[in-house]
């Protein structure tokens, strides 16, 4: 889906360049490698809809950054993208013009510079000088002077003063929260409705702050195949999850042959809720209906292997299906990977599966800590389109579920239209379905008791409360004939 339509709630990044040709200029001074990598990724996100979490590791490796420089590049990239909306408000005041009148490459330089000035301990002179050097590489001579002037104006005021100035310029309370926490206003309102539904509306600002905090790197040890390495710390909730000792997580993944994997604790709980809700009978058939990119599929495969079940993974998009195959290669179980339209699997394979995981395509609003740019790429109309797709997929899953079977409906979004409303409507359409006590299931497998809402039929995890992505989990059972 395109995100190129104007939206007053998000920064606009794809605008015509206003600078003229750049010719006969001396070679610009070298930019510190970590800042160059951060700028390149931020620019790719702005210009090409790239995803920072996919692009950054490769850019770091290509630049052969040291551990310290890799950490700096990561902080500069994600920090700038998380607070982009706030920095745009600061830049508009410092520049005396709207950001849509600033050349896009220079705007990216200014965002990166603003992050260093307002949210890091990098000396002001280094932040300004390196930003000016970047501007000289990507903009005109006048743009270089403009960059210097704007950043020096930002540096004349403390971070606290800028927060006060931005807050004072807000139109209303929601606009103030949108500005200070760098979230689109519609997302803030959606989060508020979800929290209010739990009786926790007073947690909104804590949630928004958690979205802007760097998440821990969480891993999973595929059960029955590998143990967590010595020196690691067990997760609070997932019985198979852990956090590392601060070393390279990708090194752990590679050295284990993929049996140790990077995976959010909430995703682990979602998969385990399906596999451990009831004892596994040997010979059960399981389906991961929307399996890409394969993290949950690998965990399901390990659980199926241990219980004597068979698993099928389905993923419509060929490139993502290939990722699923790579993830499943770590598990010594033959798992067919279909490339079928998930909305017709129920018609083509009626009553064929005893357990089905539907990790439905969604807005991804529950993972803004990890994919900060995603907050600017979705619009309210996307929710309607996705909820229609989620409805079709859930109907298909019900059709593919055998009588007496168990279905887990999962999204990485707390938006009510993608979660509670989808499940409630499915229960109305399908009298053969009944809700299972999802909260009791998740509490029963968790290492520590989770602070959940009172609703026993579904579970909503939260980054501010559980330090997980905002994963939604609902277990549904098909009545036996």
């Amino acid at each position: 889906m395109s995100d190129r339509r104007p939206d007053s709630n998000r920064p606009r990044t794809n605008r015509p360049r206003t600078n003229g040709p750049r010719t006969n200029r001396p070679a610009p001074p070298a930019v510190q490698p970590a800042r160059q990598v951060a700028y390149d990724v931020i620019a790719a996100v702005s210009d090409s809809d790239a995803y920072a979490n996919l692009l950054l590791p490769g850019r770091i490796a290509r630049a052969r950054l040291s551990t310290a420089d890799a950490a700096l590049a990561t902080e500069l990239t994600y920090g700038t993208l998380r607070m982009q909306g706030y920095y745009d408000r600061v830049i508009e005041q410092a520049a005396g013009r709207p950001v849509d009148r600033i050349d896009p490459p220079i705007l990216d330089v200014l965002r990166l510079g603003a992050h260093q000035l307002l949210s890091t301990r990098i000396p002001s002179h280094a932040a300004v000088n390196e930003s000016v050097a970047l501007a000289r590489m990507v903009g005109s001579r006048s743009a270089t002077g403009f960059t210097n002037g704007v950043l020096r104006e930002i540096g004349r005021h403390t971070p606290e003063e800028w927060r006060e100035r931005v807050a004072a310029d807000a139109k209303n309370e929601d606009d103030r929260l949108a500005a200070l926490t760098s979230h689109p206003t519609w997302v803030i309102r959606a989060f508020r409705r979800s929290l209010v539904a739990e009786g926790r509306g007073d947690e909104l600002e804590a949630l928004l702050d958690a979205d802007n905090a760097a998440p821990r790197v969480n891993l999973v040890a595929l059960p029955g195949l590998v143990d967590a390495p010595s020196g690691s710390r067990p997760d609070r909730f997932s019985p198979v999850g852990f956090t590392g000792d601060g070393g390279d997580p990708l090194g752990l993944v590679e050295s284990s042959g993929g049996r140790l994997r990077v995976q959010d604790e909430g995703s682990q709980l979602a998969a385990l809720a399906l596999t451990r809700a009831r004892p596994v009978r040997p010979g059960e058939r399981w389906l991961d209906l929307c399996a890409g990119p394969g993290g949950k599929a690998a965990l399901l495969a390990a659980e199926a292997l241990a219980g004597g079940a068979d698993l099928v993974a389905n993923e419509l998009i060929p490139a993502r299906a290939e990722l699923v195959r790579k993830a499943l290669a770590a598990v010594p179980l033959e798992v067919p990977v279909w490339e079928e339209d998930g909305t017709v699997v129920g018609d083509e394979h009626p009553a064929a599966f005893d357990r089905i995981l539907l990790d439905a395509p969604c807005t991804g609003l529950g993972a803004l800590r990890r994919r900060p740019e995603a907050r600017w790429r979705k619009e309210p109309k996307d929710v309607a389109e996705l909820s229609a797709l989620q409805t079709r997929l859930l109907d298909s899953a019900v059709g593919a579920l055998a009588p007496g079977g168990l279905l887990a409906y999962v999204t990485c979004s707390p938006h009510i239209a993608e979660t509670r409303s989808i499940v409630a409507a499915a229960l109305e359409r399908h009298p053969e379905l009944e809700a299972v006590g999802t909260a009791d299931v998740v509490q029963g497998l968790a290492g520590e008791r989770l602070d959940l809402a009172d609703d026993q039929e579904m579970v909503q995890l939260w980054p501010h409360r559980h330090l997980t992505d905002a994963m939604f989990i609902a277990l549904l059972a098909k009545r036996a004939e």
Side-chain angles (χ1 to χ4, degrees):
M1 299 179 188
S2 172
D3 69 331
R4 292 309 180 201
R5 291 167 293 280
D7 181 348
S8 61
N9 288 331
R10 72 165 185 256
R12 303 171 193 173
T13 56
N14 240 14
R15 294 173 289 278
R17 296 175 184 266
T18 57
N19 294 326
R22 292 171 273 170
T23 59
N24 300 322
R25 291 189 297 169
V31 175
Q32 197 264 351
R35 289 182 177 85
Q36 183 69 63
V37 166
Y39 174 80
D40 289 345
V41 174
I42 291 166
V45 169
S46 296
D47 295 342
S48 309
D49 278 355
Y51 285 92
N53 65 318
L54 300 180
L55 186 60
L56 181 60
R59 292 298 178 94
I60 287 174
R62 187 185 310 170
R64 298 182 179 180
L65 297 185
S66 66
T67 301
D69 277 350
L72 176 60
T74 301
E75 158 57 25
L76 294 180
T77 301
Y78 285 109
T80 301
L81 292 173
R82 286 189 188 101
M83 296 305 295
Q84 176 177 310
Y86 173 69
Y87 295 146
D88 281 2
R89 306 261 187 149
V90 172
I91 290 166
E92 286 189 340
Q93 291 198 27
R97 69 178 71 172
V99 292
D100 61 6
R101 292 182 54 201
I102 300 174
D103 192 43
I106 296 301
L107 180 57
D108 287 331
V109 172
L110 291 173
R111 289 166 173 163
L112 181 58
H115 177 65
Q116 295 173 70
L117 290 168
L118 298 177
S119 301
T120 75
R121 296 181 179 179
I122 294 171
S124 295
H125 70 274
V128 173
N129 291 343
E130 290 276 341
S131 298
V132 169
L134 273 171
R136 191 173 290 115
M137 293 174 61
V138 301
S140 65
R141 180 171 299 179
S142 62
T144 303
F146 172 73
T147 299
N148 182 64
V150 171
L151 292 179
R152 290 192 181 279
E153 173 61 21
I154 293 174
R156 289 190 184 100
H157 303 275
T158 67
E160 292 74 20
E161 289 172 339
W162 276 115
R163 288 183 64 82
E164 292 172 0
R165 293 177 66 167
V166 168
D169 201 42
K171 301 171 185 176
N172 51 48
E173 177 59 17
D174 282 352
D175 190 47
R176 184 189 72 85
L177 282 176
L180 295 181
T181 68
S182 193
H183 285 74
T185 303
W186 76 271
V187 172
I188 288 175
R189 291 169 178 164
F191 284 172
R192 181 186 289 114
R193 285 192 293 270
S194 297
L195 288 167
V196 167
E198 295 189 351
R200 301 288 190 91
D202 59 347
E203 295 180 3
L204 176 60
E205 292 198 37
L207 168 60
L208 298 174
D209 289 341
D211 269 352
N212 292 328
R216 60 180 179 169
V217 177
N218 197 256
L219 298 98
V220 60
L222 294 183
L225 299 176
V226 69
D227 293 325
S230 60
S232 62
R233 296 176 297 280
D235 278 344
R236 293 174 58 200
F237 307 121
S238 171
V240 295
F242 67 97
T243 53
D245 58 4
D248 177 18
L250 296 182
L252 277 177
V253 173
E254 292 174 0
S255 65
S256 71
R259 295 181 177 187
L260 299 175
R261 308 185 58 80
V262 175
Q263 187 174 50
D264 180 69
E265 192 175 3
S267 294
Q268 298 173 39
L269 292 174
L272 295 176
L274 176 65
T275 63
R276 301 191 181 185
R278 59 174 65 157
V280 179
R281 292 177 289 103
E284 284 186 4
R285 295 193 73 207
W286 298 357
L287 172 65
D288 187 348
L289 185 57
C290 300
K296 295 185 185 69
L299 182 50
L300 290 179
E303 292 275 287
L305 179 64
D310 296 317
L311 172 66
V312 173
N314 180 70
E315 173 53 51
L316 175 63
I317 301 172
R320 288 172 63 86
E322 189 58 32
L323 293 176
V324 174
R325 293 185 182 97
K326 290 179 179 178
L328 289 169
V331 183
L333 178 71
E334 185 175 347
V335 180
V337 178
W338 297 347
E339 296 182 18
E340 298 186 8
D341 180 350
T343 63
V344 299
V345 165
D347 294 330
E348 296 178 353
H349 307 275
F353 297 96
D354 301 292
R355 303 191 198 214
I356 298 177
L357 173 66
L358 172 51
D359 184 10
C362 67
T363 56
L365 297 180
L368 298 185
R369 304 174 306 155
R370 302 179 193 281
R371 293 187 289 276
E373 67 275 12
R375 69 190 74 187
W376 310 116
R377 291 184 171 172
K378 297 298 181 184
E379 301 176 355
K381 75 176 193 63
D382 296 327
V383 177
E385 295 174 3
L386 285 164
S387 62
L389 174 59
Q390 291 154 4
T391 295
R392 295 196 301 274
L393 286 167
L394 187 47
D395 287 344
S396 178
V398 173
L401 191 64
L406 190 64
L407 165 65
Y409 175 77
V410 174
T411 67
C412 189
S413 170
H415 198 299
I416 286 178
E418 301 184 273
T419 56
R420 296 171 180 270
S421 295
I422 294 292
V423 172
L427 289 169
E428 289 185 6
R429 288 194 309 277
H430 299 284
E432 71 274 26
L433 280 186
E434 59 183 354
V436 176
T438 308
D440 286 341
V441 170
V442 174
Q443 295 284 23
L445 64 89
E448 294 182 20
R449 188 162 185 82
L450 289 142
D451 179 10
L452 300 175
D454 292 335
D455 193 335
Q456 294 299 305
E457 295 182 353
M458 55 196 72
V459 165
Q460 179 66 66
L461 302 174
W462 295 100
H464 67 290
R465 204 184 300 162
H466 308 112
L467 299 182
T468 68
D469 291 343
M471 194 70 62
F472 175 83
I473 311 165
L475 294 173
L476 304 170
K478 196 173 194 179
R479 292 183 176 90
E481 291 179 341

